Every structure is written in structure tokens, then in C-alpha cells.
Amino acid sequence: MKPLLLFFAVLFGFSQGVLSQSYTLSGEIKDNTNTAIPFASVFLLATTDSTLVKGTSADENGLFLLEEISEGLYFLKASYIGQTSENLALDISKDTKIGALIITQNAQALDEVVVTAARPVVERKVDRLVFNVENTVLSQSSSWEILQQTPGVISMQDELQIRNQAATIYINDRKVQLSPEEVRNLLENYQGENIKSVEVIRNPPARYDAEGGPVLNIVTSKNISLGYKGNINSTYTQGVFSKYNIGTSHFYKTEKLNLNASYSFAPRKDFKSFESVTNFMDNTGVFSIWETDFDKTNRFETHNAGLVVDYTFDERNELSLTANAQLSPERTYNNFQNTLIKNSQGVLDSTFTTASFLDETKNNISADLTFKHQFKENGSLTLNGHYTNFDLTRSQEANSEYFLPNGDFIRDFNFLTNAQQDIEIGTAQLDYAALFGTVSFESGLKASFIDSQSRLDYFDLNNGQVLDANLSDNYLYDEKVYAGYFSLSKDWEKWSLKAGLRAEQTESSGNSVALSTINELSYFELFPTFYVLHNMNENHSFAFDYSRKLRRPRYEDLNPFRTFVNENIFFEGNPNLLPNFSNNFNLNYTLKQEFFFDIYYRDNGNYISTLTFQDNENQILRDVTQNVLESTSYGFDFNYGKSITNNWYLYSYVSIFHEDETFLALESNNVPATNEFDGFYVDLTNYLTLSKDGTLKGELGLTYLSGFLEGSNIQAETTNLTFGLRKSLWKRRALLSLAFNDILGKANGRVTSKYLNQDNNFLAIPETQYVRFGFTYNFGNYRLEDNDREIDKIERDRLNAEE
């Protein structure tokens, strides 16, 4: 890395800023009736290729001012709600003031623009698929709805997947660092009219971390108007229990300063029910049947706050600060379980109940600082620093009582656990990008440092409060990753080529105090990426790409602690987990930029999978995270979207897939067992414009999944029918929404594990069947595009714990 650091230092040392003389341009925007148009967008364009040089927005009186304009020839243009002025040619050699720039207003034409919006256009690029939705029939949808119908995306409740892998959401190349449920809430309130395109990056290139799967990057429209805007928003959801959230965001922009502050508060009460059956087996077959009903009621309050500050020193230097805080000071979980224990003939032997109460506090605070320098001639240098502090405190008390069939008390069992986890993450990153002739070049360095401390104390309450040292532990984990990368790309008339290489050196140490074991790993790995695209003609194109990827264990998976539901059901961490490496291949064919055919193959290697095992001798059910022996995925995808009429857009997506995993059956003499599934997924969604002025929109969607592989389990088929309405009010300053989900009540499928001496299944039913009301009100210059973003750090992904 030393030569590369020296290279960057030399480039930065010799770069210097030369400020040329600049001028101002002012004027006013009016319509053809000589009426001022407030908040119209004003653009100064280069005469050579009409690229944007500067932009602003008129004030409430239609007046505008552009500053720091270099001497030269320009076009000046203004626009307002789909209407634009003619280009005005200007020769700027001094401070200039023009008269009125006229935007011809045509009400009938405006109505037609709203109703007859074009269909979305999909564009195949060498390393990604670009779904252009700006000014289309989908523009009035929410960001979540646009992502749901993006080519190649499968919606699984609160999670968006691409080829059976969870997708990471970015907004303008900044990662949205929230849980899947919080991501959905964010995007449901982020208006689609702000979106220019969605980039589907199935194999992220070398500048992305080697760890991670596919990426969905939302690119927003580049409206750079000045001024203030804000909004308040709220949703009310009625499922088993009612719940709501309320939030507000404020944005202020000048020529040099962008400021964004946001806050939301979400008190919730959630309900989730489980039905499970476990058939315990011996050499003669099933000898005991356990049928369990489990109800889980969660109550929690979450405060989310964000701050983004961007400051532009000059046209070549800018500084950005992003800070996020997610505070959950009060989270409680009330769980009640009732189990019937029957013999092989189905006759009741005994019953037991378990009541458990969990009290939890969770906080996540992070900050990110980025400096970017644009070299005078060519290229840019970006320096980024990041820090995250995560802390979790959890207390659980459980009581189990056992009874005979006639109700007579047999015995009870009681325990208490106190858990605490503190994680600190720090990263530093340097990126350089330049164009050498016709070849684009990117390179960079990154270092990340992770310190995790976890403690669990287990107390037996059956004879007083006694610490059980065998079930308690203090686990210390440290990780250091040093990475460097480069990539090259070039476009010809009909060919595009991109290739890159990323190198990562990882040093990690896991120390279990109770087990007196230290697991240390040190490994150096290379991660190549390769992309090629051939456009035969305007109707046919072929593409191929390859990448090698990495998945490291989550911190919670490495902890050897046991998290108990009761004394017979628990989750157990695995400190011996190893990172797994995957090889990803994609072959694509595009017909007329409308029909998209994809064939993919993925060697998942020793995939990190959560597997369920039943201990027939001790009648225990446990979830264990394990490196499987091998795993593969392959399939065929087809996408097609079409405007049936001016008011009706139909999106269709079909995926046929195969998944398999071979793992060690820990409760079956450690023999290899293979779980595999062949399935398909269908998504048909109708987007409707229900009013002439385009302010009333509707959506009717149907998705069907024939089944899914989950570790040692197979999930049964699911069907989800949805319906929604959206109404814009007061010249689109306000938006009302109504949504119905899981109308048929079939969005959840039973999960089954049946092989060798294993036979268990369960059905989890969260609140997928609900009706949701939403309201958003925009004030100020609400057409202003903000700088809202989330912190881009792959290390933070591994903080998220499944609940």
C-alpha cells in the first residue's frame, strides 16, 4: 500500500486551486401573461453540449440570481412543473441583468403531461441495470413502491431481495443504514417524483466492499434550487394492534451550505404468533409429539434523528458531515407459550407453559465526515472517516410450569439472564478517480477497526438466585481490515468493458473467557470483478459479469451465548464461524430495451447459515449458525413492463430458481445432509391513474412465491394481494395514502425441516394483514431537492440483530 499512498500524496501535493474572475447574472421569471412565477428553476447551460453549469430557483417574486459565473458563452433556461422557456443565448463578460425570461403556461398541455406520462425505461450498462422512472407513470408512487417493481427485485415483507439475496439500499451512493422495517418506513414516505432512476447492481464493482450482496441505488433528480423546505409526515397502521409514527424534516440551502435535519418518533405495539410441531424420534420412529402455541407482544419507542451538513468551499473543494442517532430507551417483549406433549398415538402426556419478559435498551450513534477535492485538470480525491457506537442492554426472566393432563402441577423451572453488548467501529477511506484518455480509472485504500465486547450472566432461580458459570460468558472480539482496490473501464462504439481488483487483509481475534479459548484468524484475499457489454444494434444486447464476494460472520453469531425462549428452545452462537467466499456469474440478454432475460449462477461456498436441530434424546430444539459444506444458487429471470393505456401501467417479473445447501447434521451423527428447493416467483402489479389531473393514483398487486429454502428448512408457498390509493392535495403540497396488505391472509407460509431423524415445522404470523393511512404535508419551497442521506458503512450491517 505504500506506493499507492505515495502516489496519492504526490497528486494531492501538486494540485492547486486557481480561481478565475467571475460574474453574476440576475433577472426574473414570468409567464406569457406577464405574471411572476415564484420558485421556478433556473439553469445555466454550456453551449457546447447543454450540460448544467449552475442552477438556482427564483424567489417568491420570481426573481433569481446566479453568482460566480466564469466568462464565456451560455444558454439560460427556466422551467416550472413540466413547462420550460426557450434557451436564451448569453455572452457573460461582466455582471449581467436581463429582463423577464418567459415560460409559456398551457393548462391543457400540463394536464396531458400528467396523464400521459411515459413508461419507465430500462437501460443496460456494463456493470448495472438502470431503471429510469423520472417523469413517468410511476413518478407519483412512493420510493418503496418503485423499488418493489424494479426489474429483478423480489419483495419479502419488509425486505427487498435480488436473486434470493437481501439487497442493500443506497440513496445517491450513500447507504441507508437502517433495519429492513425502518428502510421500508423511510422509503414509503420518500416521494417517487424526486427519483431519477434506480440502479440494480447485482455484482457491485471493486470500489464497493468485498463483503455484501447486491445493491439498489436510488438516484434522485438533480434539482439544485436554493431556499428552505420542510415537511411533516405521519402514518397510522391498524393490524392486530394499532401503531403510528410521526416525523419531520427540514432543509435549507444556499450557494455554499446545505443543511438537513430530521427527527421521527415511532411508538409501536406489535404482535406475532407461532404455531409449531416437533416430532421427537428414536430408532422405532416418533415417540413424542410437542405442539406449541407461542404469542409474542412487543412494545417499544424509537427516536431517530439525523443531521447532514454540506459545505462547498469553492468549485473544487467540499466537506460533508453526516450524523445519525437511533435511540430505543424502552423496549419490552412479553412472550407466552403453551405446549402440549403427546405420545406417538397422539394421547396427551403432559403440558407446560412458559411466560417470559424481556426488557431492552438499544442505542446506535454514528458520524461520518467526507472531504472531496476536484483536481483542476482531471480527477478527484475523496477522504472519508467514520465512527459508530452501538450498545445493547437486555434482561430476561422466564418461568416454565409443567402439568399432568388433569392439570395437576408437576414442577417449575425459572431463570434470569442479563446481557450487555458494546461495539465500536472506526474506518478511514481514501478514493481517487480520473480519466486517462478514454479510460476511466478508480482506486482507493480503506482501513476498518472493530471492537466488540459482549457479556451474559445466567442465573438459576429455582433455589434462590444462583449464577450458572457454565451458561455465562464474557466474549471479546476485535477485527482489523485493510483494503485497496483499482478498476478500469472503457467504452467503444458497441462494446463496454470494466475490470477491477480488490485486496483485503483481515486480522480478527475472538476470546471466550468462560471457554478459555481464543480464535484468531489472519487471511489475505483478492476479489476480482469483470464486466463486458456488447450492443449488437438498437434491438439486441448481451452482457456478462463476474465477481468474487465475501461474507463475514455477524458479531452476534460469533458469541457462544445461548438466547433462551425456554429451557428447551434456544439460539446458540458459534465462535468457530469462518468467513465464506462466493463466486457470482451473470449472463444477460436484452431485446428492444423492453424484454430482459437473465441467467445466473452463484457458488455460495461455505455459506454462513442458521440451521435448526432437534436433540431427540434431551428433547431440545436449538438454532445454530454454521458454515455449510457447500451451497449453490442458479436461475432464470424475466422482466417486462408495459403501458397498457395512458392511465394503466403493468409490471411483470418472473423468476425460476434453484437453491441448495449441504451441511453437517449435528443431531444425526454429523453426517452430511442436503436441503434443496426448486421454485418460482411471480409479480404482477398494476399502477393506475384514476383522475384526469393525475392527483389520484391506485395500485393493485399480486405476488406468488412457490416456496423458499431457509437453511435446513423449506418455506411453503405464499400469496400476497395488495391494494392502495394515493391522493395529492393543494397543488401537490399534501399527500394522503391508503394501503391494504395481505388481503387474502396468505402472505405467510409454514416452514418445515424434515430429514434423517429431524421432523419439525412452524408457522410464524406477524402483522402482515393490515390497513395503513398516511399523510405528508410539504411547506416552504417543497420542490427543492434535499441532501438527505445515510452513512455508507458495510461494517454497520453486521450490527443488525434479527428479533
Side-chain angles (χ1 to χ4, degrees):
M1 291 188 289
K2 290 183 179 179
L4 191 56
L5 282 172
L6 180 61
F7 171 67
F8 285 141
V10 171
L11 284 174
F12 188 76
F14 278 97
S15 64
Q16 57 179 353
V18 179
L19 299 177
S20 58
Q21 188 173 3
S22 60
Y23 304 99
T24 63
L25 172 63
S26 60
E28 57 183 329
I29 310 299
K30 293 185 176 182
D31 63 16
N32 49 333
T33 65
N34 205 36
T35 302
I37 302 178
F39 307 120
S41 297
V42 183
F43 307 100
L44 191 66
L45 309 174
T47 56
T48 54
D49 55 5
S50 294
T51 57
L52 180 66
V53 177
K54 283 188 176 295
T56 187
S57 66
D59 62 16
E60 63 273 13
N61 298 313
L63 302 177
F64 72 90
L65 174 66
L66 289 166
E67 298 178 306
E68 297 184 0
I69 304 173
S70 300
E71 183 176 352
L73 297 174
Y74 299 95
F75 287 135
L76 182 67
K77 183 173 74 172
S79 70
Y80 185 74
I81 316 182
Q83 305 299 295
T84 61
S85 69
E86 297 292 334
N87 283 350
L88 176 63
L90 295 171
D91 184 359
I92 303 295
S93 58
K94 61 181 180 179
D95 291 343
T96 303
K97 183 177 182 179
I98 67 169
L101 190 61
I102 303 299
I103 297 178
T104 301
Q105 297 290 323
N106 185 323
Q108 179 63 32
L110 180 59
D111 287 341
E112 292 175 357
V113 168
V114 173
V115 176
T116 63
R119 67 176 177 82
V121 176
V122 181
E123 179 184 2
R124 177 83 68 184
K125 290 193 174 181
V126 66
D127 63 345
R128 65 197 62 192
L129 199 68
V130 181
F131 186 49
N132 298 292
V133 298
E134 188 175 28
N135 297 324
T136 71
V137 69
L138 298 181
S139 296
Q140 290 302 310
S141 303
S142 71
S143 299
W144 176 262
E145 292 160 336
I146 290 175
L147 290 184
Q148 282 183 306
Q149 64 87 58
T150 296
V153 175
I154 295 177
S155 179
M156 299 283 288
Q157 295 182 13
D158 289 329
E159 186 175 75
L160 298 173
Q161 295 189 353
I162 298 175
R163 292 172 177 171
N164 302 324
Q165 289 184 300
T168 303
I169 309 300
Y170 284 68
I171 298 179
N172 292 328
D173 279 325
R174 308 296 289 176
K175 182 179 294 181
V176 179
Q177 291 286 1
L178 299 171
S179 69
E181 180 183 3
E182 291 168 330
V183 167
R184 176 170 183 170
N185 290 335
L186 170 71
L187 296 180
E188 284 180 335
N189 291 285
Y190 191 89
Q191 299 305 305
E193 62 187 8
N194 295 327
I195 296 180
K196 178 181 180 181
S197 62
V198 178
E199 297 178 341
V200 183
I201 313 174
R202 296 186 175 99
N203 279 338
R207 79 177 185 89
Y208 291 82
D209 291 274
E211 181 177 11
V215 166
L216 285 173
N217 181 40
I218 298 173
V219 180
T220 59
S221 301
K222 299 301 182 182
N223 182 344
I224 54 176
S225 304
L226 307 183
Y228 165 78
K229 75 167 185 178
N231 72 67
I232 56 173
N233 58 81
S234 180
T235 62
Y236 174 85
T237 302
Q238 182 62 58
V240 176
F241 297 119
S242 60
K243 58 205 89 221
Y244 72 93
N245 67 63
I246 185 169
T248 182
S249 64
H250 304 269
F251 178 78
Y252 178 72
K253 182 170 185 175
T254 67
E255 287 285 354
K256 291 184 176 292
L257 176 68
N258 296 343
L259 179 64
N260 175 261
S262 62
Y263 170 77
S264 66
F265 174 63
R268 297 178 63 89
K269 183 179 180 182
D270 293 335
F271 179 79
K272 190 175 185 178
S273 66
F274 295 81
E275 304 170 3
S276 69
V277 177
T278 303
N279 298 310
F280 291 105
M281 308 172 68
D282 58 18
N283 294 332
T284 63
V286 175
F287 69 89
S288 183
I289 304 170
W290 291 34
E291 298 177 354
T292 299
D293 289 324
F294 180 77
D295 293 334
K296 181 178 181 180
T297 303
N298 307 335
R299 297 175 176 86
F300 57 90
E301 297 179 350
T302 302
H303 303 266
N304 290 281
L307 176 67
V308 178
V309 181
D310 298 331
Y311 187 79
T312 302
F313 296 97
D314 51 49
E315 61 184 10
R316 295 192 287 113
N317 296 282
E318 61 184 49
L319 185 68
S320 300
L321 170 68
T322 302
N324 293 312
Q326 300 174 42
L327 309 177
S328 296
E330 185 177 352
R331 303 169 65 94
T332 61
Y333 303 81
N334 288 304
N335 305 324
F336 183 79
Q337 172 187 312
N338 181 47
T339 299
L340 306 179
I341 303 176
K342 302 177 181 179
N343 62 22
S344 58
Q345 284 74 43
V347 178
L348 186 65
D349 280 339
S350 61
T351 67
F352 77 90
T353 62
T354 299
S356 64
F357 177 80
L358 285 82
D359 188 9
E360 181 179 275
T361 299
K362 182 165 65 173
N363 300 311
N364 192 330
I365 300 173
S366 60
D368 195 278
L369 186 65
T370 302
F371 173 77
K372 184 175 182 180
H373 173 75
Q374 192 77 34
F375 294 109
K376 181 180 179 181
E377 298 298 331
N378 178 29
S380 64
L381 186 68
T382 304
L383 179 64
N384 173 268
H386 170 83
Y387 175 78
T388 289
N389 182 276
F390 172 86
D391 66 83
L392 170 69
T393 301
R394 177 187 293 155
S395 177
Q396 178 190 14
E397 185 171 355
N399 168 255
S400 296
E401 295 182 334
Y402 294 78
F403 303 91
L404 292 172
N406 61 7
D408 290 345
F409 177 77
I410 302 176
R411 67 179 180 89
D412 64 355
F413 184 86
N414 307 280
F415 68 86
L416 168 70
T417 61
N418 291 321
Q420 184 172 354
Q421 185 175 39
D422 294 292
I423 299 175
E424 288 187 325
I425 301 173
T427 70
Q429 186 167 344
L430 185 69
D431 297 287
Y432 173 75
L435 185 66
F436 296 104
T438 59
V439 177
S440 297
F441 174 76
E442 292 181 330
S443 65
L445 298 170
K446 180 181 179 181
S448 64
F449 308 93
I450 299 166
D451 180 19
S452 172
Q453 300 183 36
S454 304
R455 181 181 182 87
L456 182 133
D457 295 322
Y458 181 98
F459 297 92
D460 188 325
L461 302 181
N462 296 296
N463 295 296
Q465 184 170 311
V466 180
L467 177 68
D468 189 335
N470 293 324
L471 295 176
S472 303
D473 200 1
N474 187 16
Y475 185 72
L476 310 176
Y477 180 79
D478 294 297
E479 179 182 282
K480 301 178 180 65
V481 179
Y482 306 95
Y485 76 91
F486 75 89
S487 68
L488 301 167
S489 63
K490 180 175 173 58
D491 295 328
W492 291 271
E493 182 180 354
K494 292 188 176 183
W495 290 87
S496 295
L497 182 67
K498 184 172 184 176
L501 183 66
R502 186 179 185 91
E504 293 193 356
Q505 172 68 39
T506 304
E507 308 282 346
S508 66
S509 174
N511 179 7
S512 172
V513 176
L515 300 178
S516 299
T517 59
I518 299 178
N519 295 312
E520 294 185 339
L521 290 176
S522 177
Y523 52 94
F524 175 82
E525 295 289 341
L526 297 176
F527 301 93
T529 56
F530 176 78
Y531 312 85
V532 60
L533 171 66
H534 177 50
N535 293 303
M536 298 181 63
N537 52 50
E538 62 180 11
N539 292 326
H540 305 278
S541 69
F542 293 89
F544 172 80
D545 57 81
Y546 163 78
S547 70
R548 185 173 188 254
K549 287 294 178 180
L550 160 72
R551 181 186 177 190
R552 295 185 178 92
R554 294 185 304 179
Y555 312 131
E556 63 168 6
D557 293 336
L558 293 165
N559 292 345
F561 304 162
R562 290 180 175 179
T563 301
F564 289 87
V565 176
N566 56 51
E567 61 180 306
N568 303 96
I569 303 175
F570 55 84
F571 170 83
E572 187 174 48
N574 181 3
N576 297 312
L577 284 176
L578 298 174
N580 80 277
F581 303 91
S582 63
N583 291 282
N584 307 272
F585 303 86
N586 297 300
L587 180 63
N588 320 115
Y589 168 63
T590 302
L591 174 63
K592 296 182 178 180
Q593 289 296 321
E594 292 184 351
F595 302 89
F596 294 86
F597 306 86
D598 298 86
I599 299 174
Y600 68 92
Y601 176 84
R602 186 171 65 246
D603 179 359
N604 301 307
N606 302 122
Y607 184 74
I608 300 173
S609 183
T610 300
L611 308 171
T612 301
F613 297 106
Q614 64 185 63
D615 180 345
N616 291 304
E617 181 178 353
N618 298 304
Q619 295 176 306
I620 288 174
L621 200 64
R622 59 176 176 144
D623 286 344
V624 179
T625 306
Q626 178 190 118
N627 286 104
V628 303
L629 300 178
E630 60 181 351
S631 172
T632 56
S633 307
Y634 54 83
F636 168 79
D637 292 347
F638 170 73
N639 292 274
Y640 180 62
K642 182 175 179 60
S643 293
I644 307 299
T645 69
N646 290 336
N647 302 322
W648 177 16
Y649 176 79
L650 174 64
Y651 166 74
S652 61
Y653 170 54
V654 178
S655 179
I656 303 171
F657 58 87
H658 169 88
E659 301 278 337
D660 66 68
E661 291 185 11
T662 300
F663 54 90
L664 285 179
L666 299 183
E667 296 297 340
S668 308
N669 298 319
N670 284 333
V671 301
T674 298
N675 193 22
E676 59 184 339
F677 186 79
D678 296 308
F680 65 94
Y681 174 85
V682 178
D683 181 358
L684 297 174
T685 305
N686 302 270
Y687 295 91
L688 307 170
T689 301
L690 302 176
S691 64
K692 184 178 180 180
D693 62 0
T695 60
L696 180 61
K697 303 281 187 177
E699 173 196 324
L700 179 65
L702 177 68
T703 61
Y704 174 78
L705 179 64
S706 65
F708 198 74
L709 185 147
E710 294 182 353
S712 54
N713 302 310
I714 297 293
Q715 177 187 292
E717 66 178 7
T718 59
T719 303
N720 190 13
L721 178 65
T722 62
F723 176 71
L725 293 171
R726 294 180 304 279
K727 173 65 177 177
S728 297
L729 303 169
W730 309 320
K731 296 182 179 180
R732 304 183 190 275
R733 279 192 176 271
L735 178 68
L736 282 172
S737 63
L738 174 65
F740 297 88
N741 192 69
D742 191 15
I743 296 173
L744 302 177
K746 296 183 178 181
N748 304 290
R750 184 168 292 272
V751 178
T752 302
S753 178
K754 191 170 184 178
Y755 65 93
L756 300 175
N757 62 349
Q758 305 287 293
D759 188 357
N760 57 82
N761 64 81
F762 71 89
L763 174 63
I765 308 177
E767 293 180 80
T768 54
Q769 198 166 39
Y770 62 78
V771 57
R772 174 174 294 163
F773 303 89
F775 176 76
T776 299
Y777 180 75
N778 301 295
F779 46 86
N781 184 6
Y782 64 97
R783 293 182 181 86
L784 177 66
E785 183 59 40
D786 61 40
N787 63 340
D788 187 24
R789 61 176 176 269
E790 296 292 336
I791 294 175
D792 176 10
K793 287 292 164 287
I794 192 70
E795 292 82 8
R796 287 167 52 84
D797 283 354
R798 292 151 68 197
L799 295 177
N800 295 330
E802 296 180 3
E803 298 176 357

